[in-house]
Amino acid sequence: MSSMPRLMQGNEACIEGAIAAGMRFYAGYPITPSTEIAELAAEKLPKVGGKFIQMEDEIASMGAVIGASLAGLKAMTATSGPGFSLKQENIGFACLTEVPCVIVNVQRGGPSTGQPTLPAQGDVMQARWGTHGDHPIIVLSPSYVREVFDLTVRAFNLSEKYRVPCILLMDEVVGHLREKVQLPDPASLKIINRKKPDLSKISHYNPYQDYDGDGIPPMVNFGEGIPYHVTGLIHDITGFPSTKPEVTEYLITRLMRKIYNNIDDIVEYEKHFTEDAETVIVSFGSTARSAIRAVKILRSEGEKVGLIRLKTIWPFPRKAFRELPSTVRNVIVAEMNFGQLIETVEAACEGKFNIFGLNKYNGELMSPDEVIAKVREVNKNA
Amino acid sequence: MRKSLEKYYRIDKLPHIWCPGCGNGIITGALVRAIDNLKLDKDKICIVSGIGCSSRAPGYLNFNTLHTTHGRALAFATGIKLARPELKVIVLTGDGDCAAIGGNHFIHACRRNIDITTIVFNNSIYGMTSGQYSPLTPVGAYATTAPYGNIDRNFDLCKLAEAAGATYVARGTVYHVPQLIKFIEKALLHKGFSVVETISTCPTYFGRKNKLGSPVRMMEMLRDNTVSAKAAEKMSKEELASKIVIGEFAEINAPEYTEEYMKIIKRAQGEE
Ligand SMILES: Cc1ncc(C[n+]2csc(CCOP(=O)(O)OP(=O)(O)O)c2C)c(N)n1
Ligand code: SF4
Ligand SMILES: [Mg+2]
């Protein structure tokens, strides 16, 4: 049965979603505006037999999360800018060793300590490329409290399915906003767990062998009776270090392809009024809420405006732009930063449209009026 | 190698990467013998390391093994242990890995008294990166980054561990192997956070930079420069200045973290 509707904060919906998805381990270090997630994890996890630990810093939190996941528990951590920076080395470790885990980043203003209590979307590129080296990653961004729940469940599902770290990129507004939500019946949720090897068919388990040809090696947890080696060095299918060019190229290619070959499964976005649009706004997170409002107002005035709201940011939904009708002339990228996603949008548009940035980075959220003004300006000039 | 010990090694991964005369193999061998003597369930052992020459040891050992990032082995190990307390979790770490980049994780693991055994391979140098000084390099010693002698005062890692709350603390050397095996056995049986600092030899970098002679000569120095904790009690500060004190420094009963967490689960579920 779905729960009674109640007033809930985005950060609370995140923990509800995580527990519903099967998260049983949380390690973190407090930081505004994500702290409520840690506090609620401390309260709720032991009730379901799960484990919470407050580590000495974010580096340790990320390490503990990976350790717990290797030991078989679905694990997550939550943080904001400065802590997200500290986690990066170990996020890369999880990418390379293919350990499922979820990292929540409730974005605040940056760089550095920045503006702890104010909204921003300045970590879009860090979420994609924060750790060094070529690596796969999935990044989801919710706009509504209920969607925080849904995308947290999805983050765990995708992370388990593809054995890749999944980042839930929230912003301060969505994290702290309270909305009336009704959560779904946990039994109705589709929960995905990491794939296990079929040991009746395998004489010797190689932890990084692509047995099924889908690029995703089946995973044995530590303590399940099959000892194996995990290393952050480039490794062969047996899990041991290798410097051979062909092993190196094979591994990096497989890691990237397991995500890019499944892009249609991973990518989610919404299109609003794009069928006959002349100007299309692209947005995500809390900014998309203002954009939707703006589009509705402009439509009521007869303006041919549409919106693409991204729920998956990385891998980037290029398809959404290929699908745009020939009526479209302008694309406006609305984001609470100096202009990060705009370059990727520009590449996805392949020169077909005029691209404009609508950027806000003064610690205030973007209002519908600002979006409306930008659309009018663009339509007048272009 | 004794035939009966072969099952603990990944024989196909040998020969190892370590230099001739390196102490790492001796410590790894001591760990294997301690595990064998105690008849621990091999499948329930998980060995975690950071980065360094010493941290390559788990790759040669036939258990659940995890070679993590530099300094962070204890963080990963904490996650494993809390997630699955039935596993015996062992951390292998170097002096730099443990006391420099991993120093914060080390003191907090001590403080929590989580049931993990940490074996520190202390060769007084960063071996893997070819000879820079570490927080355990003695004052006055030479390193590639201390060409005029080291002025960084070194930790007494055992004192640090004890003060931070570790409940079993011992120091051995790669010369005193039977004693080292005993310390590791006691650490493995101990409930709580246990630390065995092992003074090791890196002839390639520490030995060469400090003109200590052959690996055999370095071993002889370990024999001649060590005093037992008991004997040390009767010695003056001056007499102890150039000595390495070996022995057991702490063996305490205190609440263990994962057991305490199980009580939290009961409390949260209203059973207590
Ligand atoms: C974050 C990071 N910084 C630096 C390094 C380079 N590095 C690798 S091993 C090492 C020192 C290892 O020294 P120690 O822990 O004493 O191990 P040993 O090689 O002496 O056994 C350093 C600085 C690294 N791998 N990662
Ligand atoms: S460099 Fe030193 S520590 Fe590393 S393997 Fe060689 S002797 Fe051992
Ligand atoms: Mg060293």
Side-chain angles (χ1 to χ4, degrees):
Chain A
M1 227 176 55
S2 42
S3 70
M4 295 291 288
R6 67 182 166 105
L7 209 56
M8 189 181 286
Q9 202 185 44
N11 284 346
E12 186 182 354
C14 177
I15 270 297
E16 294 290 348
I19 290 178
M23 185 261 282
R24 289 297 177 271
F25 187 94
Y26 182 101
Y29 189 83
I31 182 166
T32 305
S34 75
T35 305
E36 295 83 2
I37 299 177
E39 290 169 344
L40 289 164
E43 181 200 326
K44 289 175 188 281
L45 270 175
K47 290 187 181 165
V48 294
K51 314 281 172 68
F52 167 90
I53 186 167
Q54 182 172 310
M55 295 297 286
E56 52 274 18
D57 59 31
E58 287 87 349
I59 303 172
S61 309
M62 197 59 225
V65 159
I66 297 168
S69 181
L70 267 170
L73 298 189
K74 289 189 187 175
M76 100 173 195
T77 185
T79 189
S80 186
F84 194 51
S85 293
L86 287 179
K87 287 183 196 292
Q88 293 300 333
E89 188 193 6
N90 283 343
I91 291 176
F93 183 90
C95 293
L96 183 67
T97 56
E98 301 176 74
V99 178
C101 54
V102 172
I103 301 106
V104 181
N105 175 5
V106 189
Q107 295 168 94
R108 49 145 100 184
S112 191
T113 308
Q115 288 177 317
T117 57
L118 299 183
Q121 296 174 319
D123 305 348
V124 171
M125 281 298 166
Q126 189 189 19
R128 177 63 193 93
W129 292 116
T131 196
H132 56 281
D134 288 321
H135 61 276
I137 201 110
I138 296 175
V139 180
L140 311 179
S141 176
S143 299
Y144 307 94
V145 172
R146 169 60 203 259
E147 195 170 78
V148 172
F149 178 95
D150 295 338
L151 289 192
T152 306
V153 173
R154 196 166 146 73
F156 275 96
N157 283 346
L158 292 173
S159 177
E160 290 282 322
K161 182 169 181 182
Y162 295 108
R163 292 190 61 179
V164 67
C166 190
I167 292 164
L168 188 73
L169 194 63
M170 305 223 274
D171 57 59
E172 190 275 339
V173 181
V174 175
H176 279 164
L177 185 79
R178 283 175 202 277
E179 285 182 304
K180 199 161 132 185
V181 292
Q182 187 167 14
L183 298 182
D185 177 1
S188 72
L189 295 172
K190 186 171 170 249
I191 301 298
I192 301 176
N193 297 317
R194 59 192 67 170
K195 175 170 86 172
K196 297 270 167 202
D198 182 351
L199 293 171
S200 66
K201 295 204 185 106
I202 298 169
S203 57
H204 175 78
Y205 171 67
N206 285 318
Y208 293 101
Q209 187 169 336
D210 180 12
Y211 290 101
D212 306 320
D214 59 359
I216 309 159
M219 183 169 171
V220 170
N221 299 321
F222 275 7
E224 289 178 345
I226 303 178
Y228 66 95
H229 188 55
V230 176
T231 177
L233 288 164
I234 297 288
H235 43 266
D236 61 18
I237 60 168
T238 69
F240 285 88
S242 169
T243 50
K244 289 190 186 134
E246 63 277 14
V247 170
T248 309
E249 190 175 319
Y250 169 80
L251 175 60
I252 299 296
T253 307
R254 179 174 65 70
L255 291 179
M256 302 306 268
R257 287 228 175 111
K258 75 178 175 181
I259 299 304
Y260 288 103
N261 285 351
N262 291 293
I263 202 153
D264 289 342
D265 181 44
I266 296 168
V267 151
E268 273 190 344
Y269 53 88
E270 266 177 18
K271 290 186 287 187
H272 299 266
F273 307 105
T274 53
E275 317 75 44
D276 62 343
E278 288 168 9
T279 297
V280 169
I281 304 161
V282 187
S283 200
F284 55 93
S286 67
T287 311
R289 301 168 68 108
S290 298
I292 286 194
R293 177 101 192 103
V295 166
K296 284 187 179 149
I297 291 168
L298 287 165
R299 276 276 163 182
S300 73
E301 294 169 8
E303 298 265 9
K304 295 214 151 56
V305 186
L307 170 75
I308 295 175
R309 184 171 75 87
L310 306 176
K311 293 161 76 172
T312 308
I313 300 186
W314 306 110
F316 188 75
R318 292 178 74 100
K319 191 172 106 196
F321 298 86
R322 280 199 298 273
E323 290 166 353
L324 286 177
S326 56
T327 50
V328 175
R329 283 182 296 126
N330 309 313
V331 169
I332 300 174
V333 187
E335 43 183 344
M336 279 193 289
N337 56 44
F338 195 76
Q340 294 196 10
L341 205 57
I342 188 167
E343 291 185 18
T344 308
V345 172
E346 206 155 8
C349 291
E350 295 167 340
K352 286 189 283 189
F353 319 114
N354 306 310
I355 314 285
F356 303 89
L358 174 55
N359 305 96
K360 185 123 188 192
Y361 43 87
N362 66 355
E364 288 178 337
L365 48 95
M366 194 181 289
S367 71
D369 283 348
E370 287 167 293
V371 182
I372 290 169
K374 185 72 187 182
V375 172
R376 293 214 166 107
E377 179 199 312
V378 163
N379 285 353
K380 190 148 71 187
N381 298 335
Chain B
M1 192 192 304
R2 249 195 285 147
K3 205 82 194 141
S4 64
L5 295 180
E6 277 185 6
K7 64 173 183 280
Y8 299 110
Y9 288 92
R10 292 172 171 139
I11 302 287
D12 60 321
K13 300 299 165 199
L14 298 172
H16 54 66
I17 60 161
W18 298 317
C19 312
C22 176
N24 287 344
I26 299 176
I27 306 176
T28 309
L31 169 65
V32 161
R33 282 162 182 83
I35 289 170
D36 189 57
N37 293 346
L38 295 176
K39 308 261 169 296
L40 298 179
D41 181 354
K42 218 169 115 294
D43 291 337
K44 293 279 173 253
I45 293 177
C46 181
I47 304 182
V48 187
S49 67
I51 298 289
C53 295
S54 40
S55 287
R56 287 297 195 99
Y60 306 116
L61 295 171
N62 193 19
F63 302 88
N64 303 288
T65 53
L66 177 61
H67 178 221
T68 69
T69 47
H70 191 26
R72 320 300 175 195
L74 278 166
F76 286 73
T78 298
I80 294 171
K81 183 68 191 178
L82 185 55
R84 258 186 209 255
E86 72 274 17
L87 291 179
K88 178 127 256 50
V89 180
I90 301 166
V91 166
L92 306 183
T93 173
D95 46 316
D97 197 62
C98 173
I101 192 165
N104 199 33
H105 310 309
F106 180 68
I107 56 173
H108 288 280
C110 291
R111 173 178 65 81
R112 284 186 196 106
N113 196 33
I114 186 162
D115 189 21
I116 294 172
T117 294
T118 296
I119 300 174
V120 186
F121 293 48
N122 179 6
N123 55 9
S124 311
I125 202 91
Y126 287 0
M128 181 127 258
T129 45
S130 2
Q132 301 76 28
Y133 63 90
S134 90
L136 302 188
T137 304
V139 170
Y142 292 89
T144 57
T145 46
Y148 307 109
N150 178 30
I151 56 166
D152 264 39
R153 293 171 68 204
N154 53 293
F155 280 131
D156 179 328
L157 196 75
C158 289
K159 279 192 180 149
L160 179 68
E162 198 183 338
T167 48
Y168 178 83
V169 180
R171 180 186 289 124
T173 85
V174 292
Y175 178 80
H176 306 84
V177 175
Q179 182 194 46
L180 178 62
I181 296 172
K182 203 79 237 147
F183 290 163
I184 297 175
E185 281 177 26
K186 286 186 78 172
L188 290 171
L189 289 178
H190 179 78
K191 178 152 300 289
F193 193 73
S194 53
V195 180
V196 180
E197 180 190 354
T198 309
I199 310 299
S200 184
T201 52
C202 170
T204 304
Y205 295 112
F206 192 75
R208 201 156 59 189
K209 274 277 146 195
N210 290 282
K211 303 195 167 50
L212 299 180
S214 68
V216 174
R217 183 67 207 108
M218 289 180 78
M219 279 290 194
E220 286 165 355
M221 287 173 69
L222 286 181
R223 177 192 64 198
D224 300 338
N225 282 342
T226 42
V227 292
S228 72
K230 223 187 193 98
E233 279 171 21
K234 298 188 201 85
M235 290 168 71
S236 70
K237 226 176 162 180
E238 291 69 40
E239 285 174 310
L240 281 173
S242 62
K243 299 285 183 202
I244 298 165
V245 182
I246 56 173
E248 294 172 291
F249 303 100
E251 197 173 357
I252 305 159
N253 262 330
E256 191 277 322
Y257 190 84
T258 60
E259 289 189 354
E260 292 303 299
Y261 199 88
M262 291 316 288
K263 292 183 197 162
I264 291 283
I265 290 181
K266 287 204 168 125
R267 212 175 296 160
Q269 295 180 347
E271 287 172 33
E272 208 176 77

